Amino acid sequence: MNHPDEHSHLFTLDPTRDYPRLVRGEGVYVYDDQGKQYLDAIAGIGVVNIGYGRKRVAEVMAEQAARLSYAAPNIFGNEPAERFAAQVARWLPGDLKSIHFTSGGSEAVEAAIKLGRQYFYERGPESKHLVISRWTSYHGATLGALSATGYPGRRKKFTPYLLDWPHIPPVYCYRCPYNKEYPGCDLSCARALEGTLNEVGADNVVAFIAEPIVGAAGGAIVPPSEYWPIVRDICTRHDVLLIADEVITGFGRTGRPFAVNHWEVLPDMITMAKGIGGGYASLGAVAVSTKIRGVFEEKGMPFDHIFTFMANPISTAAAHEALKIWEEENLSEKAAQTGEYLLHQLDGLKRHAIVGDVRGLGLMAGLEFVADQTTKEPFPAEKAVAKRVGKIALQNGLVTYPGGGMVDGVRGDILSLFPPLIFSRQNVDELVDKLDKTLTQVEQTL
Ligand SMILES: Cc1ncc(COP(=O)(O)O)c(C=O)c1O
């Protein structure tokens, strides 16, 4: 912890707050400078998929730093980036075999949007420029990615800077935006994409971007199985690119290598980051279809874009070793199995009157808190229930991810869990015990 008399030169996300200072990680646990142990039920933030303290990744990074620490991406290629791109391509579906590296998720989304725009600029129609996305989504903090993001709390103060792009309602059966019920709803939320395309004109639209399973913005919302095939069909018929934002769902999080594998839908691009480096490299990527790459090749045009740290040799070397561990330990399958157990155990927490919904897939789970389980009435925002849960859980040695705004952008508390993919059943038991205890404590304060 910061000592009261100690002035930190770090401008943290909340400079008024004393954050516990982490000094070490081992497996699924992290330790602060007071020696306190925390069970990390969010893997950093869906990042440290292979767990903390993997010495072989650290050794590869040190070796690579000593051999070649940097290669300018507009002048040179480098071996680790080549090798890692080939390794990632093996796991990607269909013809998404061309990988463009970035340093993180927001950059991956920016790159995908600009790739999509330049694809149509070179190929036509040049009028295409809009990106359609959904409410209750998160695509990143940079201004392009934030323009696509549908998270009112994160957009509000920056609205004057944001591009005026259309957002369609979320896929969210617990509180259906159309007040309908699945399957009688005929997937109105997916069909809304076609309505919006007709309204704004498909000739003006580059892409539709969405998270296959909504992450922290929605607390692990899993769509009905028809959702993604419907949006794929709409995009194809209107010549609009489909971008699956798999920054959090990629690399086994949902129990499949990529979440789109659940529905065998092939997007035109997949954005990824977080778990791509297993928690050891600051890395992101966009995977691009043959159709998109082909236009750049035919026209002989470079992508008019660069990030200094893209395809960095240390990051890609680390990620290559981390992905080898992921492969050797079958972490995607392990996430599927442990995830089933996690969701089953979490479901038992509905015995707490404040738990309205438990949802998720693989090792990606969400709880939604309500004042009334039957009517789904949310808590008033001032009660900050999710934040309370997160704070008390942390005191109890459990790291979770609180969020909110599910009802009207303000009310509607959620808690997300994204454990490391190495999580065991015993780790799940410890998580659920700690959360159980935390919820009892929170209920006493309400
Ligand atoms: C789906 C999704 N897209 C994009 C991002 C942005 O990634 P980053 O924070 O690495 O910039 C995130 C981060 O949470 C995410 O979950």
Side-chain angles (χ1 to χ4, degrees):
M1 300 282 280
N2 283 348
H3 299 293
D5 57 342
E6 182 190 340
H7 181 75
S8 170
H9 289 279
L10 265 183
F11 187 78
T12 55
L13 285 177
D14 181 353
T16 67
R17 206 171 118 191
D18 271 347
Y19 292 93
R21 254 182 220 174
L22 292 187
V23 290
R24 191 166 71 82
E26 190 71 48
V28 299
Y29 296 99
V30 287
Y31 300 83
D32 71 15
D33 59 359
Q34 305 297 300
K36 180 168 173 158
Q37 184 193 60
Y38 303 83
L39 176 65
D40 186 359
I42 58 167
I45 315 180
V47 175
V48 192
N49 286 0
I50 62 168
Y52 296 90
R54 299 282 197 160
K55 298 265 181 321
R56 50 188 267 211
V57 182
E59 281 160 14
V60 164
M61 291 175 87
E63 263 172 45
Q64 185 58 46
R67 191 177 316 123
L68 177 73
S69 59
Y70 181 82
N74 54 339
I75 305 173
F76 297 111
N78 71 77
E79 275 183 354
E82 261 319 317
R83 209 181 309 130
F84 186 52
Q87 189 190 19
V88 171
R90 283 204 298 277
W91 290 100
L92 282 160
D95 67 342
L96 294 177
K97 302 297 183 193
S98 296
I99 324 286
H100 179 87
F101 288 117
T102 65
S103 309
S106 303
E107 285 189 4
V109 170
E110 296 288 340
I113 290 171
K114 288 177 72 180
L115 269 165
R117 163 65 189 159
Q118 197 181 331
Y119 164 76
F120 284 117
Y121 181 90
E122 308 293 356
R123 193 216 78 172
E126 205 189 309
S127 55
K128 280 180 174 278
H129 66 288
L130 296 172
V131 174
I132 303 178
S133 58
R134 307 183 296 196
W135 290 111
T136 313
S137 67
Y138 186 66
H139 297 293
T142 49
L143 296 175
L146 192 60
S147 298
T149 288
Y151 194 143
R154 297 214 183 265
R155 291 168 57 94
K156 192 173 164 212
K157 294 173 189 165
F158 307 102
T159 312
Y161 299 136
L162 301 183
L163 294 154
D164 190 14
W165 287 341
H167 292 69
I168 64 171
V171 50
Y172 179 31
C173 295
Y174 183 65
R175 296 184 192 278
C176 174
Y178 296 91
N179 283 320
K180 292 182 180 176
E181 214 165 291
Y182 176 78
C185 60
D186 192 33
L187 280 294
S188 298
C189 54
R191 303 198 191 281
L193 177 59
E194 188 138 37
T196 300
L197 281 169
N198 290 333
E199 215 171 281
V200 300
D203 269 4
N204 292 315
V205 180
V206 164
F208 173 60
I209 183 167
E211 298 156 84
I213 295 170
V214 183
I221 304 176
V222 185
S225 54
E226 299 92 328
Y227 184 89
W228 274 81
I230 292 174
V231 297
R232 171 69 275 183
D233 173 59
I234 295 171
C235 288
T236 305
R237 284 191 286 104
H238 290 272
D239 190 22
V240 162
L241 300 174
L242 177 60
I243 306 173
D245 184 353
E246 297 239 23
V247 164
I248 197 157
T249 52
F251 298 94
R253 165 89 16 227
T254 69
R256 294 287 186 93
F258 289 89
V260 290
N261 296 139
H262 288 287
W263 311 290
E264 293 184 9
V265 157
L266 188 60
D268 300 290
M269 286 189 251
I270 291 183
T271 49
M272 48 201 127
K274 293 191 183 272
I276 190 174
Y280 292 78
S282 168
L283 195 68
V286 196
V288 172
S289 67
T290 317
K291 169 177 91 175
I292 295 174
R293 179 186 176 132
V295 163
F296 286 82
E297 285 177 342
E298 279 158 32
K299 298 273 174 179
M301 287 305 291
F303 178 29
D304 289 332
H305 175 91
I306 186 171
F307 290 122
T308 299
F309 278 93
M310 58 174 290
N312 176 259
I314 302 177
S315 303
T316 48
H320 180 256
E321 194 63 20
L323 196 57
K324 272 208 273 188
I325 292 175
W326 180 86
E327 288 168 346
E328 287 162 15
E329 298 181 9
N330 278 325
L331 291 183
S332 184
E333 264 169 49
K334 187 171 163 66
Q337 286 158 15
T338 318
E340 260 184 49
Y341 182 63
L342 172 68
L343 283 161
H344 179 265
Q345 297 305 94
L346 287 175
D347 212 57
L349 295 179
K350 283 186 180 157
R351 64 180 169 272
H352 290 274
I354 67 169
V355 178
D357 195 27
V358 172
R359 52 193 180 232
L361 192 59
L363 282 175
M364 183 163 173
L367 278 73
E368 183 155 343
F369 302 121
V370 287
D372 186 315
Q373 281 176 328
T374 314
T375 64
K376 303 180 184 175
E377 179 64 24
F379 284 104
E382 314 79 74
K383 290 209 166 169
V385 170
K387 274 197 183 147
R388 256 188 238 212
V389 174
K391 193 173 166 192
I392 295 179
L394 205 61
Q395 286 163 7
N396 291 332
L398 176 68
V399 193
T400 61
Y401 198 95
M406 297 305 293
V407 175
D408 49 13
V410 184
R411 292 174 310 147
D413 294 272
I414 49 170
L415 193 78
S416 299
L417 302 167
F418 316 113
L421 306 188
I422 57 165
F423 235 51
S424 65
R425 282 183 162 231
Q426 289 93 312
N427 297 143
V428 169
D429 291 341
E430 185 184 341
L431 186 173
V432 175
D433 280 352
K434 287 195 156 128
L435 195 51
D436 192 7
K437 177 180 162 195
T438 301
L439 294 175
T440 304
Q441 288 170 280
V442 170
E443 280 170 329
Q444 285 159 2
T445 70
L446 289 172

